[in-house]
């Protein structure tokens, strides 16, 4: 149906694909468009179907999920495709690499149906579903990596209001919260967020947070600086 979130499932195990399709099938507003059994096939399928969300396994033959994620994110015309990594455990060792490659989040394969559907819907909105343990692991990874020296150069391209929105985004506020705090319409905030994606060359909110951590704008283990916002 028009307006449905179109999903592609990528996993080399038939039972997993069947289970995910059965879980998402009854969900209103979500439609499974296709399945792939490895990363190479996933890249071709996404290039043809241009789905909204890809549920991507990591360990697969021929091309794994991390390589496929990178290739999909580089496909022309696939800028709006969101990738959610499928994993058996919420402390997957590939958390940082997957998110840095362009994934929008992680979901456990045996998650309750409502959580899987929520992950798909959040990803389609440019947001993400990360369990607390995944978040802790990601922050721990940032803590082990050297931060880049100096200010993030791309921030110079932002208007004052875009910078206000950026500062609130990296502190975890949602659009409706930002609209209320900055006394803006929610549609205006959404427009600013899209401009941030373009100017910072990121795909979604997860990538904005990674950008902030890698450029030393948020300290691992802390809540980030309490930035003032312009009047």
């Amino acid at each position: 149906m028009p307006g449905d979130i179109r999903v592609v499932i990528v996993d080399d195990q038939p039972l997993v694909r069947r289970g995910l399709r059965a879980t998402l099938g009854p969900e209103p507003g979500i439609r499974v468009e296709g399945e792939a059994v490895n990363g190479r096939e996933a890249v071709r399928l996404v290039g043809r179907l241009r789905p909204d969300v890809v549920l991507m396994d990591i360990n697969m033959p021929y091309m794994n999920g991390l390589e496929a994620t990178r290739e999909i994110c580089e496909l022309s015309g696939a800028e709006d495709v969101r990738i959610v990594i499928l994993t058996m455990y919420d402390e997957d060792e590939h958390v940082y690499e997957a998110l840095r490659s362009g994934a929008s989040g992680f979901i456990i394969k045996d998650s309750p149906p409502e959580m899987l559907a929520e992950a798909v819907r959040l990803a389609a909105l440019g947001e993400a579903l990360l369990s607390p343990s995944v978040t802790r692991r990601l922050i721990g990874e940032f803590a082990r990596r050297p931060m880049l020296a100096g200010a993030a150069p791309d921030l110079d391209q932002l208007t004052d209001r875009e910078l206000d929105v950026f500062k609130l985004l990296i502190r975890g506020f949602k659009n409706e919260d930002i609209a209320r705090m900055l006394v803006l319409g929610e549609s205006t905030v959404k427009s600013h967020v899209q401009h941030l994606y373009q100017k910072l060359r990121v795909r979604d909110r997860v990538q904005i947070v990674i950008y902030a951590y890698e450029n030393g704008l948020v300290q691992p283990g802390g809540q980030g600086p309490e930035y003032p916002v312009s009047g």
Side-chain angles (χ1 to χ4, degrees), residues 10-91:
V10 185
D11 197 293
D12 61 331
Q13 298 185 33
L15 287 178
V16 172
R17 296 197 307 273
R18 187 180 307 166
L20 291 170
R21 180 182 281 273
T23 297
L24 292 175
E27 290 290 333
I30 296 177
R31 185 172 75 250
V32 177
E33 289 276 89
E35 300 177 9
V37 301
N38 58 60
R40 187 179 302 163
E41 185 177 313
V43 174
R44 290 197 296 267
L45 190 62
V46 170
R48 180 166 59 86
L49 297 180
R50 295 292 195 271
D52 300 302
V53 177
V54 177
L55 296 177
M56 178 79 73
D57 188 26
I58 290 182
N59 298 311
M60 297 179 292
Y62 303 112
M63 178 187 289
N64 66 39
L66 299 178
E67 295 170 317
T69 294
R70 283 191 289 270
E71 291 206 13
I72 289 171
C73 290
E74 293 172 359
L75 283 175
S76 175
E79 294 80 9
D80 293 332
V81 177
R82 300 290 178 252
I83 301 172
V84 177
I85 298 296
L86 294 166
T87 180
M88 289 300 296
Y89 309 101
D90 60 358
E91 293 190 352

Side-chain angles (χ1 to χ4, degrees), residues 138-190:
L138 181 59
I139 290 174
E141 185 67 34
F142 282 124
R144 290 191 293 272
R145 291 172 179 264
M147 296 298 172
L148 300 179
D154 292 327
L155 293 184
D156 294 339
Q157 305 176 45
L158 305 185
T159 66
D160 288 344
R161 190 52 87 194
E162 287 168 354
L163 190 58
D164 290 341
V165 173
F166 170 81
K167 292 168 181 177
L168 294 173
L169 272 182
I170 65 176
R171 289 168 57 190
F173 292 106
K174 296 185 179 299
N175 286 358
E176 57 265 31
D177 301 319
I178 296 172
R180 185 179 64 256
M181 296 170 75
L182 298 181
V183 196
L184 298 172
E186 195 168 336
S187 61
T188 301
V189 172
K190 289 180 180 178

Side-chain angles (χ1 to χ4, degrees), residues 69-142:
T69 294
R70 283 191 289 270
E71 291 206 13
I72 289 171
C73 290
E74 293 172 359
L75 283 175
S76 175
E79 294 80 9
D80 293 332
V81 177
R82 300 290 178 252
I83 301 172
V84 177
I85 298 296
L86 294 166
T87 180
M88 289 300 296
Y89 309 101
D90 60 358
E91 293 190 352
D92 196 288
E93 62 181 355
H94 300 295
V95 166
Y96 176 85
E97 188 177 353
L99 295 177
R100 193 66 187 86
S101 296
S104 295
F106 275 67
I107 187 70
I108 310 303
K109 289 184 180 180
D110 59 356
S111 295
E114 61 274 12
M115 184 175 292
L116 180 63
E118 181 184 7
V120 168
R121 293 189 174 102
L122 286 174
L125 291 172
E127 300 181 17
L129 184 66
L130 295 177
S131 72
S133 59
V134 166
T135 303
R136 286 194 299 271
R137 193 174 183 90
L138 181 59
I139 290 174
E141 185 67 34
F142 282 124

